[in-house]
Coordinates of all heavy atoms in Angstrom, one line a residue:
M205 N -74.4 55.9 21.0 CA -74.2 55.7 22.5 C -73.9 57.0 23.1 O -73.2 57.9 22.5 CB -72.9 54.8 22.7 CG -72.5 54.7 24.1 SD -70.9 54.0 24.4 CE -71.2 52.3 23.9
K206 N -74.5 57.3 24.2 CA -74.2 58.5 24.9 C -73.2 58.2 26.0 O -73.1 57.1 26.5 CB -75.5 59.1 25.6 CG -76.1 58.3 26.7 CD -77.3 58.9 27.2 CE -77.8 58.1 28.4 NZ -78.9 58.8 29.1
S207 N -72.4 59.2 26.3 CA -71.4 59.0 27.3 C -71.9 59.4 28.7 O -72.8 60.2 28.8 CB -70.2 59.9 26.9 OG -69.1 59.7 27.8
I208 N -71.3 58.8 29.7 CA -71.7 59.1 31.1 C -70.4 59.3 31.9 O -69.3 58.9 31.4 CB -72.5 58.0 31.7 CG1 -71.8 56.7 31.8 CG2 -73.8 57.9 31.1 CD1 -72.5 55.6 32.6
S209 N -70.5 59.9 33.0 CA -69.3 60.2 33.8 C -68.8 58.9 34.6 O -69.6 58.0 34.7 CB -69.6 61.3 34.9 OG -70.4 60.8 35.8
G210 N -67.6 58.9 35.0 CA -67.1 57.8 35.8 C -67.8 57.6 37.1 O -68.1 56.5 37.5
K211 N -68.3 58.7 37.7 CA -69.0 58.6 38.9 C -70.4 57.9 38.7 O -70.8 57.0 39.5 CB -69.3 60.0 39.5 CG -68.1 60.7 40.1 CD -68.5 62.0 40.6 CE -67.3 62.7 41.2 NZ -67.6 64.0 41.8
K212 N -71.0 58.2 37.6 CA -72.3 57.6 37.3 C -72.1 56.1 37.0 O -72.9 55.3 37.4 CB -73.0 58.2 36.1 CG -73.8 59.4 36.4 CD -74.6 59.8 35.2 CE -75.5 61.0 35.4 NZ -76.2 61.4 34.3
L213 N -71.1 55.8 36.3 CA -70.8 54.4 36.0 C -70.5 53.6 37.3 O -70.9 52.4 37.4 CB -69.6 54.2 35.0 CG -69.3 52.8 34.5 CD1 -70.5 52.2 33.9 CD2 -68.2 52.8 33.5
C214 N -69.8 54.2 38.2 CA -69.5 53.6 39.5 C -70.9 53.3 40.2 O -71.0 52.2 40.8 CB -68.7 54.5 40.4 SG -67.0 54.5 39.8
K215 N -71.8 54.2 40.2 CA -73.1 54.0 40.8 C -73.8 52.8 40.2 O -74.5 52.0 40.8 CB -73.9 55.2 40.8 CG -73.4 56.3 41.7 CD -74.3 57.5 41.6 CE -73.7 58.6 42.5 NZ -74.4 59.9 42.4
I216 N -73.7 52.7 38.8 CA -74.4 51.7 38.1 C -73.9 50.3 38.5 O -74.6 49.4 38.8 CB -74.3 51.9 36.6 CG1 -75.1 53.1 36.2 CG2 -74.8 50.7 35.8 CD1 -74.9 53.6 34.8
V217 N -72.5 50.2 38.4 CA -71.9 48.9 38.7 C -72.2 48.5 40.2 O -72.3 47.3 40.5 CB -70.4 48.8 38.4 CG1 -70.3 49.0 36.9 CG2 -69.6 49.7 39.1
E218 N -72.2 49.4 41.1 CA -72.5 49.1 42.5 C -73.9 48.6 42.7 O -74.2 47.6 43.4 CB -72.3 50.3 43.4 CG -70.8 50.7 43.6 CD -70.6 52.0 44.3 OE1 -71.6 52.7 44.7 OE2 -69.5 52.4 44.4
K219 N -74.9 49.1 41.9 CA -76.3 48.6 41.9 C -76.4 47.2 41.4 O -77.3 46.5 41.7 CB -77.2 49.6 41.2 CG -77.5 50.9 41.9 CD -78.4 51.7 41.1 CE -78.7 53.0 41.8 NZ -79.5 53.9 41.0
K220 N -75.4 46.9 40.5 CA -75.4 45.5 39.9 C -74.6 44.5 40.7 O -74.4 43.4 40.2 CB -74.9 45.6 38.4 CG -75.7 46.5 37.5 CD -77.1 46.0 37.4 CE -77.9 46.9 36.5 NZ -79.3 46.4 36.4
G221 N -74.2 44.9 41.9 CA -73.6 43.9 42.8 C -72.1 44.0 42.8 O -71.5 43.1 43.5
W222 N -71.4 44.8 42.1 CA -70.0 45.0 42.2 C -69.6 45.7 43.4 O -70.3 46.6 43.9 CB -69.4 45.7 40.9 CG -69.6 44.9 39.7 CD1 -70.8 44.8 38.9 CD2 -68.7 44.0 39.0 NE1 -70.6 43.9 37.9 CE2 -69.3 43.5 37.9 CE3 -67.4 43.7 39.3 CZ2 -68.6 42.6 37.1 CZ3 -66.7 42.8 38.5 CH2 -67.3 42.3 37.4
I223 N -68.5 45.4 44.0 CA -68.0 45.9 45.3 C -66.7 46.7 45.0 O -65.8 46.2 44.4 CB -67.8 44.8 46.3 CG1 -69.1 44.1 46.6 CG2 -67.2 45.4 47.6 CD1 -69.0 42.9 47.4
L224 N -66.6 47.9 45.6 CA -65.4 48.7 45.4 C -64.3 48.1 46.3 O -64.4 48.0 47.5 CB -65.7 50.1 45.9 CG -64.5 51.1 45.8 CD1 -64.0 51.3 44.4 CD2 -64.9 52.4 46.4
K225 N -63.3 47.6 45.6 CA -62.2 46.9 46.3 C -61.1 47.9 46.8 O -60.7 47.9 47.9 CB -61.6 45.9 45.4 CG -60.5 45.1 46.0 CD -61.0 44.2 47.1 CE -59.9 43.2 47.5 NZ -60.3 42.4 48.6
K226 N -60.7 48.8 45.9 CA -59.7 49.8 46.2 C -59.8 51.0 45.2 O -60.4 50.9 44.2 CB -58.3 49.2 46.2 CG -57.9 48.7 44.9 CD -56.5 48.1 45.0 CE -56.0 47.5 43.7 NZ -54.7 47.0 43.8
I227 N -59.1 52.1 45.6 CA -59.0 53.2 44.7 C -57.5 53.4 44.5 O -56.8 53.6 45.5 CB -59.7 54.5 45.3 CG1 -61.2 54.2 45.4 CG2 -59.4 55.7 44.4 CD1 -61.9 55.4 46.1
T228 N -57.1 53.4 43.3 CA -55.7 53.6 43.0 C -55.6 54.9 42.1 O -56.0 54.8 40.9 CB -55.1 52.4 42.2 OG1 -55.3 51.3 43.0 CG2 -53.6 52.6 41.9
G229 N -55.1 56.0 42.7 CA -55.1 57.2 41.9 C -56.5 57.7 41.6 O -57.3 57.8 42.5
S230 N -56.8 57.8 40.4 CA -58.2 58.2 40.0 C -59.0 57.0 39.4 O -60.1 57.2 38.8 CB -58.1 59.3 38.9 OG -57.4 58.8 37.7
H231 N -58.5 55.8 39.6 CA -59.2 54.6 39.1 C -59.9 53.9 40.3 O -59.2 53.5 41.3 CB -58.3 53.7 38.4 CG -57.9 54.3 37.0 ND1 -57.0 55.3 36.9 CD2 -58.3 54.0 35.8 CE1 -56.8 55.6 35.7 NE2 -57.6 54.8 34.9
H232 N -61.1 53.6 40.1 CA -61.9 52.8 41.1 C -61.9 51.4 40.6 O -62.3 51.1 39.5 CB -63.3 53.3 41.3 CG -63.3 54.7 41.9 ND1 -64.3 55.1 42.7 CD2 -62.5 55.8 41.8 CE1 -64.1 56.3 43.1 NE2 -63.0 56.8 42.6
I233 N -61.4 50.5 41.5 CA -61.3 49.0 41.1 C -62.5 48.3 41.8 O -62.6 48.3 43.0 CB -60.0 48.4 41.6 CG1 -58.8 49.4 41.2 CG2 -59.8 47.0 41.1 CD1 -58.6 49.6 39.7
Y234 N -63.3 47.6 41.0 CA -64.4 46.9 41.5 C -64.2 45.4 41.2 O -63.6 45.0 40.3 CB -65.7 47.3 40.8 CG -66.2 48.7 41.2 CD1 -65.8 49.8 40.6 CD2 -67.1 48.8 42.3 CE1 -66.2 51.1 41.0 CE2 -67.6 50.0 42.7 CZ -67.1 51.2 42.1 OH -67.5 52.4 42.5
E235 N -64.8 44.6 42.1 CA -64.8 43.1 41.9 C -66.1 42.6 42.4 O -66.9 43.2 43.1 CB -63.6 42.5 42.6 CG -63.7 42.4 44.1 CD -62.5 41.7 44.7 OE1 -61.6 41.4 44.0 OE2 -62.6 41.4 45.9
K236 N -66.4 41.4 41.9 CA -67.6 40.7 42.3 C -67.2 39.3 42.9 O -66.3 38.6 42.3 CB -68.5 40.5 41.1 CG -70.0 40.4 41.3 CD -70.8 40.5 40.1 CE -72.2 40.8 40.4 NZ -73.0 40.8 39.2
S237 N -67.8 39.0 44.0 CA -67.4 37.8 44.7 C -67.6 36.5 43.9 O -66.8 35.6 44.0 CB -68.1 37.6 46.0 OG -69.5 37.6 45.8
D238 N -68.6 36.4 43.1 CA -68.9 35.2 42.3 C -68.2 35.2 40.9 O -68.4 34.2 40.2 CB -70.4 35.0 42.2 CG -71.1 36.2 41.5 OD1 -70.5 37.3 41.4 OD2 -72.2 36.0 41.0
E239 N -67.4 36.2 40.6 CA -66.7 36.3 39.3 C -65.3 36.6 39.6 O -64.9 37.2 40.6 CB -67.3 37.3 38.4 CG -68.8 37.1 38.0 CD -69.3 38.1 37.0 OE1 -68.5 38.7 36.3 OE2 -70.5 38.3 37.0
S240 N -64.4 36.1 38.7 CA -63.0 36.4 38.8 C -62.5 37.6 38.1 O -61.3 37.9 38.0 CB -62.2 35.2 38.4 OG -62.5 35.0 37.0
K241 N -63.5 38.4 37.6 CA -63.1 39.6 36.9 C -63.1 40.8 37.8 O -63.7 40.9 38.9 CB -64.1 39.9 35.8 CG -64.2 38.9 34.7 CD -65.2 39.3 33.6 CE -65.2 38.3 32.5 NZ -66.1 38.7 31.5
I242 N -62.3 41.9 37.4 CA -62.3 43.1 38.0 C -62.6 44.2 37.0 O -62.5 44.0 35.8 CB -61.0 43.5 38.7 CG1 -59.8 43.6 37.7 CG2 -60.7 42.5 39.8 CD1 -58.6 44.2 38.3
I243 N -63.1 45.3 37.5 CA -63.4 46.5 36.6 C -62.6 47.7 37.1 O -62.7 48.0 38.3 CB -64.9 46.8 36.6 CG1 -65.8 45.7 36.2 CG2 -65.2 48.0 35.7 CD1 -67.2 45.9 36.4
S244 N -61.9 48.3 36.2 CA -61.2 49.5 36.6 C -61.9 50.7 35.9 O -62.0 50.8 34.7 CB -59.8 49.5 36.1 OG -59.1 50.7 36.4
I245 N -62.5 51.6 36.7 CA -63.2 52.7 36.1 C -62.5 54.0 36.5 O -62.3 54.4 37.6 CB -64.6 52.8 36.7 CG1 -65.4 51.5 36.4 CG2 -65.4 54.0 36.2 CD1 -66.7 51.4 37.1
P246 N -62.1 54.8 35.4 CA -61.4 56.1 35.7 C -62.5 57.1 36.1 O -63.5 57.3 35.5 CB -60.8 56.4 34.3 CG -61.6 55.7 33.3 CD -62.1 54.5 34.0
V247 N -62.2 57.8 37.2 CA -63.1 58.8 37.7 C -62.3 60.1 37.8 O -61.5 60.3 38.7 CB -63.6 58.5 39.1 CG1 -64.5 59.6 39.6 CG2 -64.4 57.1 39.1
H248 N -62.5 61.0 36.8 CA -61.7 62.2 36.7 C -62.7 63.4 36.9 O -63.4 63.7 35.9 CB -61.0 62.4 35.3 CG -60.0 61.3 35.1 ND1 -58.7 61.5 34.9 CD2 -60.2 59.9 34.9 CE1 -58.1 60.4 34.7 NE2 -58.9 59.4 34.7
R249 N -62.8 63.9 38.1 CA -63.8 64.9 38.5 C -65.2 64.4 38.0 O -65.6 63.3 38.4 CB -63.4 66.2 37.9 CG -62.1 66.8 38.4 CD -61.8 68.1 37.8 NE -61.7 68.1 36.3 CZ -60.6 68.2 35.7 NH1 -59.5 68.2 36.3 NH2 -60.6 68.1 34.4
N250 N -65.9 65.2 37.3 CA -67.2 64.8 36.9 C -67.3 64.8 35.4 O -68.3 65.0 34.8 CB -68.3 65.7 37.4 CG -69.7 65.1 37.5 OD1 -69.7 63.9 37.5 ND2 -70.7 65.9 37.6
Q251 N -66.1 64.5 34.7 CA -66.1 64.5 33.3 C -66.6 63.2 32.7 O -66.5 62.1 33.3 CB -64.6 64.6 32.8 CG -64.0 66.0 33.1 CD -62.6 66.0 32.6 OE1 -61.9 65.0 32.4 NE2 -62.1 67.2 32.5
D252 N -67.2 63.3 31.5 CA -67.7 62.1 30.9 C -66.6 61.2 30.4 O -65.5 61.8 30.0 CB -68.6 62.5 29.7 CG -70.0 63.0 30.1 OD1 -70.3 62.8 31.3 OD2 -70.7 63.5 29.2
L253 N -66.8 59.9 30.4 CA -65.8 59.0 29.9 C -65.8 59.1 28.4 O -66.8 59.4 27.8 CB -66.1 57.6 30.3 CG -66.1 57.3 31.8 CD1 -66.6 55.9 32.1 CD2 -64.7 57.4 32.4
K254 N -64.6 58.9 27.8 CA -64.5 58.9 26.4 C -65.3 57.6 25.9 O -65.3 56.6 26.6 CB -63.1 58.8 25.9 CG -62.3 60.1 26.2 CD -60.9 60.1 25.7 CE -60.2 61.4 26.0 NZ -58.9 61.4 25.5
L255 N -65.9 57.7 24.7 CA -66.7 56.6 24.2 C -65.9 55.4 24.0 O -66.4 54.3 24.3 CB -67.4 57.0 22.9 CG -68.4 58.1 23.0 CD1 -69.0 58.4 21.6 CD2 -69.5 57.7 23.9
G256 N -64.6 55.5 23.6 CA -63.8 54.3 23.4 C -63.6 53.6 24.8 O -63.6 52.3 24.9
T257 N -63.4 54.3 25.8 CA -63.2 53.8 27.2 C -64.4 53.1 27.6 O -64.4 52.0 28.2 CB -62.7 54.9 28.1 OG1 -61.6 55.5 27.6 CG2 -62.5 54.3 29.5
L258 N -65.5 53.7 27.4 CA -66.8 53.2 27.9 C -67.2 51.9 27.1 O -67.6 50.9 27.7 CB -67.9 54.3 27.6 CG -69.3 54.0 28.3 CD1 -69.1 53.8 29.8 CD2 -70.1 55.2 28.0
K259 N -66.9 51.9 25.8 CA -67.2 50.7 25.0 C -66.3 49.5 25.4 O -66.7 48.4 25.5 CB -67.0 51.0 23.5 CG -68.1 51.8 22.9 CD -67.8 52.0 21.4 CE -68.8 52.8 20.8 NZ -68.6 53.1 19.3
S260 N -65.0 49.9 25.7 CA -64.1 48.8 26.2 C -64.5 48.2 27.5 O -64.5 47.0 27.7 CB -62.7 49.5 26.3 OG -61.8 48.5 26.8
I261 N -64.9 49.0 28.5 CA -65.4 48.5 29.7 C -66.7 47.7 29.5 O -66.8 46.6 30.1 CB -65.7 49.7 30.7 CG1 -64.4 50.4 31.1 CG2 -66.4 49.2 32.0 CD1 -64.6 51.7 31.9
S262 N -67.6 48.2 28.7 CA -68.8 47.5 28.4 C -68.6 46.1 27.8 O -69.1 45.1 28.2 CB -69.7 48.4 27.6 OG -70.9 47.7 27.2
N263 N -67.8 46.1 26.7 CA -67.5 44.9 26.0 C -66.8 43.8 26.8 O -67.1 42.7 26.7 CB -66.8 45.2 24.7 CG -67.6 45.9 23.7 OD1 -68.8 45.9 23.8 ND2 -67.0 46.6 22.8
S264 N -65.8 44.3 27.6 CA -65.0 43.3 28.3 C -65.7 42.7 29.5 O -65.3 41.7 30.0 CB -63.6 43.9 28.6 OG -63.8 45.0 29.5
H265 N -66.6 43.5 30.1 CA -67.1 43.1 31.4 C -68.6 42.8 31.4 O -69.1 42.1 32.3 CB -66.9 44.1 32.5 CG -65.4 44.3 32.7 ND1 -64.6 43.4 33.3 CD2 -64.6 45.4 32.4 CE1 -63.4 43.9 33.3 NE2 -63.3 45.1 32.8
F266 N -69.4 43.3 30.5 CA -70.8 43.2 30.5 C -71.5 42.6 29.3 O -72.7 42.7 29.2 CB -71.4 44.6 30.8 CG -71.0 45.2 32.1 CD1 -70.1 46.3 32.1 CD2 -71.4 44.6 33.3 CE1 -69.7 46.8 33.3 CE2 -71.0 45.2 34.5 CZ -70.1 46.3 34.5
E267 N -70.7 42.1 28.4 CA -71.3 41.7 27.1 C -72.3 40.5 27.4 O -73.4 40.4 26.9 CB -70.3 41.2 26.1 CG -70.9 41.0 24.8 CD -69.8 40.8 23.7 OE1 -68.6 40.7 24.0 OE2 -70.2 40.8 22.5
K268 N -71.9 39.6 28.2 CA -72.7 38.4 28.5 C -74.0 38.8 29.3 O -75.1 38.3 29.0 CB -71.9 37.4 29.4 CG -70.8 36.7 28.6 CD -70.1 35.8 29.5 CE -68.9 35.2 28.8 NZ -68.0 34.4 29.6
N269 N -73.8 39.7 30.2 CA -75.0 40.1 31.0 C -75.8 41.2 30.4 O -77.0 41.4 30.7 CB -74.5 40.6 32.4 CG -73.8 39.6 33.2 OD1 -73.9 38.4 32.9 ND2 -73.0 40.0 34.1
K270 N -75.2 41.9 29.5 CA -75.9 43.0 28.8 C -76.4 44.0 29.8 O -77.5 44.6 29.7 CB -76.9 42.6 27.9 CG -76.4 41.7 26.7 CD -77.4 41.4 25.7 CE -76.7 40.6 24.6 NZ -77.5 40.4 23.5
V271 N -75.6 44.2 30.9 CA -76.0 45.1 32.0 C -76.1 46.6 31.5 O -77.0 47.3 31.8 CB -75.0 45.0 33.2 CG1 -75.3 46.0 34.2 CG2 -75.1 43.6 33.8
L272 N -75.1 47.0 30.8 CA -75.0 48.4 30.4 C -75.7 48.8 29.1 O -76.0 49.9 28.9 CB -73.5 48.8 30.3 CG -72.7 48.8 31.5 CD1 -71.3 49.3 31.2 CD2 -73.3 49.7 32.6
A273 N -76.1 47.8 28.3 CA -76.7 48.1 27.0 C -77.9 49.0 27.1 O -78.0 50.0 26.5 CB -77.0 46.8 26.3
P274 N -78.9 48.6 28.0 CA -80.1 49.5 28.1 C -79.8 50.9 28.7 O -80.4 51.8 28.3 CB -81.1 48.7 28.9 CG -80.4 47.4 29.3 CD -79.0 47.4 28.8
I275 N -78.8 50.9 29.6 CA -78.5 52.1 30.3 C -77.8 53.1 29.3 O -78.1 54.3 29.3 CB -77.7 51.9 31.5 CG1 -78.5 51.0 32.5 CG2 -77.2 53.2 32.1 CD1 -77.7 50.4 33.6
L276 N -76.9 52.6 28.5 CA -76.1 53.4 27.6 C -76.7 53.6 26.3 O -76.2 54.3 25.5 CB -74.7 52.8 27.5 CG -73.9 52.6 28.8 CD1 -72.6 51.9 28.5 CD2 -73.7 53.9 29.5
E277 N -77.8 53.0 26.0 CA -78.6 53.1 24.8 C -77.8 52.8 23.5 O -77.7 53.6 22.6 CB -79.2 54.5 24.7 CG -80.1 54.8 25.8 CD -80.6 56.3 25.8 OE1 -80.3 57.0 24.9 OE2 -81.4 56.6 26.7
F278 N -77.2 51.7 23.5 CA -76.5 51.2 22.3 C -76.8 49.7 22.1 O -77.2 49.1 23.0 CB -75.1 51.5 22.2 CG -74.2 50.7 23.1 CD1 -73.5 49.6 22.6 CD2 -74.1 50.9 24.4 CE1 -72.7 48.8 23.4 CE2 -73.3 50.1 25.3 CZ -72.6 49.1 24.7
K279 N -76.6 49.3 20.9 CA -76.9 47.9 20.6 C -75.7 47.0 20.6 O -74.7 47.4 20.0 CB -77.6 47.8 19.2 CG -78.9 48.5 19.2 CD -79.4 48.6 17.8 CE -80.7 49.4 17.7 NZ -81.1 49.7 16.4
I280 N -75.8 45.9 21.3 CA -74.6 45.0 21.4 C -74.9 43.9 20.4 O -75.9 43.3 20.3 CB -74.5 44.4 22.8 CG1 -74.1 45.5 23.7 CG2 -73.4 43.3 22.8 CD1 -73.9 45.0 25.2

């Protein structure tokens, strides 16, 4: 899996229909109107997210949809 920055991940989730609800410190909080889940994405300058953080976000929010799998180039 390759790592991407928090800013890039924010752009990806916005294209997939998630809406930025609020920003708390350096975390961008997204929600989707038809789902009861939220996503918290850390955005620290333009640094890449740690792989563990990226995997956690991917597994907990996108496993069913497999939204990030092709983008992040790893197998679920």
Side-chain angles (χ1 to χ4, degrees):
M205 172 192 293
K206 68 178 184 175
S207 186
I208 60 173
S209 70
K211 287 182 182 181
K212 274 190 180 179
L213 184 57
C214 287
K215 289 179 184 178
I216 292 168
V217 298
E218 287 171 4
K219 286 182 182 178
K220 298 299 178 183
W222 293 82
I223 299 168
L224 180 63
K225 183 68 174 180
K226 64 182 177 178
I227 298 174
T228 304
S230 62
H231 289 75
H232 292 216
I233 313 297
Y234 287 88
E235 70 177 11
K236 210 170 192 180
S237 59
D238 59 340
E239 295 184 29
S240 61
K241 294 183 179 181
I242 62 167
I243 303 173
S244 177
I245 301 174
V247 179
H248 300 245
R249 296 182 301 257
N250 205 19
Q251 293 179 341
D252 285 350
L253 296 173
K254 292 183 179 181
L255 291 179
T257 304
L258 193 55
K259 284 181 184 179
S260 176
I261 292 170
S262 175
N263 290 340
S264 62
H265 298 291
F266 298 111
E267 190 170 13
K268 292 178 185 174
N269 300 342
K270 298 189 179 187
V271 172
L272 294 180
I275 296 164
L276 301 177
E277 300 175 1
F278 75 99
K279 297 172 186 170
I280 294 180

